[in-house]
Amino acid sequence: MTRDIAARRHQAILATLDQQGSVTVEELAQSLDVSRETVRRDLKALSANGLLSVVHGGAVRHERSEASFASRRTVNRTGKETIADLAISLLGDGMTVLLDSGTTTEALARALARSDRKRLIVHTTSLENARLVSRLPGTRVFLIGGEFDRNEDATAGTETLRAIARLSADIAFISVGGVGPDGRLTDYTRAGAAIRSALLGAAEQGFLMADASKFGLVLPSRIGGDEPCAGLLVDQAPPPPIAAKLAERGVAIRIS
């Protein structure tokens, strides 16, 4: 019984860190209604299992690492392809388009190469997306400059942000790492979230894309600012609590 109670406390601590990123011993003692010594023992046990880092006066969550790009391609491939088809339906001939380097965006680039859209101008941080979209006749493709990130096969960093700041586009399509229970749209890293936020801000209409595997996933870095995006493209409806939170944030859901 004692072990079960401790396990429930551990789950509550990790859930708090997923939401906040950090927490103090005092906050946990009050919310869990236990002594500070009990909290410290809990934090020590969780730290030993590599689930958090103990810092002076509290703890911080270890940053989650994203799976390799190759393995992410295989997750809910069908869902990503249906989202790609929905995205293409929003594109008109002659538009200037911004694409990030996510796997759902790559599905869009692959579908776009087979489409009948004409005279597009595409700016992307992704080498693979640039290669795919260049197959579409009459399309001008620009690779956004910056430091090369081999894990993403894309450009990133301050030079990329500067280049994006000079762009003005009709529409942007951006992959999302997670759609949290609170409706926040997030990414694994601050650098990735900064690039995606900048691309959204450089377009008249910015659409985020998330397949169902992203629902409920809490990640540390928020994408976008206080202004709502043009919409969130999904392959199936989010769970009602998440859908309600998205609505509160002014995010329109479009289901493929």
Side-chain angles (χ1 to χ4, degrees):
M1 182 67 176
T2 301
R3 184 176 297 176
D4 291 340
I5 293 172
R8 287 198 291 271
R9 286 201 311 272
H10 293 179
Q11 291 173 357
I13 291 169
L14 293 175
T16 300
L17 286 172
D18 275 341
Q19 292 288 337
Q20 300 177 190
S22 64
V23 68
T24 67
V25 170
E26 186 64 33
E27 288 172 337
L28 289 172
Q30 292 181 6
S31 65
L32 298 173
D33 195 22
V34 295
S35 70
R36 289 189 290 273
E37 281 63 35
T38 296
V39 170
R40 291 190 183 97
R41 285 196 298 271
D42 288 339
L43 296 181
K44 184 177 180 180
L46 290 167
S47 176
N49 288 322
L51 297 174
L52 54 75
S53 294
V54 176
V55 297
H56 180 68
V60 296
R61 189 73 148 111
H62 283 169
E63 185 172 284
R64 297 185 182 183
S65 60
E66 193 170 15
S68 70
F69 203 92
S71 65
R72 280 151 46 204
R73 280 191 181 104
T74 65
V75 177
N76 195 12
R77 187 187 302 250
T78 299
K80 292 172 183 176
E81 289 171 351
T82 62
I83 293 171
D85 291 338
L86 174 58
I88 288 177
S89 73
L90 301 172
L91 277 173
D93 292 342
M95 278 189 170
T96 298
V97 187
L98 304 181
L99 302 178
D100 77 319
S101 61
T103 54
T104 307
T105 320
E106 185 179 290
L108 168 56
R110 199 174 302 278
L112 192 57
R114 301 190 299 267
S115 75
D116 60 356
R117 296 299 182 269
K118 300 178 179 63
R119 303 183 310 280
L120 296 180
I121 299 174
V122 178
H123 296 265
T124 181
T125 57
S126 164
L127 295 180
E128 180 64 8
N129 287 353
R131 187 183 68 81
L132 288 168
V133 177
S134 68
R135 297 174 180 174
L136 184 62
T139 297
R140 300 179 65 193
V141 181
F142 295 87
L143 185 63
I144 300 171
E147 182 178 357
F148 181 68
D149 181 344
R150 69 179 66 186
N151 294 322
E152 285 291 308
D153 196 32
T155 55
T158 55
E159 290 300 322
T160 305
L161 289 172
R162 290 192 188 103
I164 294 170
R166 296 192 294 269
L167 298 176
S168 179
D170 297 300
I171 196 165
F173 295 104
I174 308 299
S175 294
V176 170
V179 183
D182 60 357
R184 290 191 182 277
L185 306 165
T186 56
D187 196 25
Y188 284 86
T189 66
R190 285 180 292 179
I195 293 293
R196 289 172 169 87
S197 298
L199 288 167
L200 284 174
E204 289 293 322
Q205 294 186 91
F207 289 95
L208 292 160
M209 304 184 294
D211 69 90
S213 69
K214 310 296 177 63
F215 298 156
L217 186 58
V218 178
L219 299 176
S221 299
R222 184 181 176 188
I223 298 173
D226 295 328
E227 292 298 320
C229 61
L232 175 64
L233 311 185
V234 297
D235 59 324
Q236 59 183 264
I242 294 179
K245 289 295 184 181
L246 288 167
E248 287 179 14
R249 296 185 179 281
V251 179
I253 300 170
R254 301 198 184 197
I255 304 172
S256 57

